[in-house]
Amino acid sequence: MPCGRWWDAVQLAAFDAVLVINLMQHRSGPAIEDQNEDTVTWLVPVRTTDGWRIPSVTVLGRGQQIHVPPPRWATSRRWLIEPPVVGDCLTSPELLRTALATVLGSPRRGDGEVRGA
């Protein structure tokens, strides 16, 4: 499905993503695991990650595609954290950026970017 209309996406290697999820706990929105690519992807509001430069993180926006599995799908692409039946299916970009900075060891910067040391 295309990014940039209903959401953008933030993608991270699965190993680091599990640490981010453990840190965020119930504050994480739904997350898609792709076992073929060994990644986890969060959906975030459109254009809220513009300007992010975070080592090891891929930000996907307008013109890019992601695979969104149906709920309760049990293949190599599945929901690691299921979307709610009703409510917001997007992750807070501020909370996600803070968790990424903590897990990846990068300082959080006021200009909206997180950079490696």
Side-chain angles (χ1 to χ4, degrees):
M1 294 190 78
C3 295
R5 183 171 180 186
W6 297 287
W7 59 71
D8 285 344
V10 176
Q11 196 170 71
L12 182 64
F15 177 82
D16 291 328
V18 170
L19 299 174
V20 169
I21 290 168
N22 286 338
L23 185 62
M24 292 182 73
Q25 297 180 358
H26 67 277
R27 296 172 299 165
S28 176
I32 302 166
E33 178 185 27
D34 185 330
Q35 294 175 347
N36 293 329
E37 299 293 324
D38 199 29
T39 60
V40 172
T41 303
W42 288 268
L43 306 178
V44 296
V46 174
R47 302 200 58 163
T48 57
T49 56
D50 288 357
W52 280 22
R53 303 288 182 268
I54 307 171
S56 304
V57 173
T58 302
V59 175
L60 304 167
R62 190 176 230 21
Q64 295 173 299
Q65 301 276 330
I66 61 168
H67 296 279
V68 178
R72 294 174 188 63
W73 196 254
T75 66
S76 61
R77 281 194 191 104
R78 66 182 186 98
W79 290 99
L80 187 59
I81 301 174
E82 290 266 345
V85 174
V86 176
D88 195 1
C89 289
L90 304 179
T91 297
S92 162
E94 294 83 10
L95 293 175
L96 181 57
R97 183 175 62 214
T98 299
L100 289 168
T102 300
V103 167
L104 299 173
S106 301
R108 195 162 166 229
R109 307 195 35 106
D111 63 0
E113 294 182 7
V114 180
R115 300 183 185 168

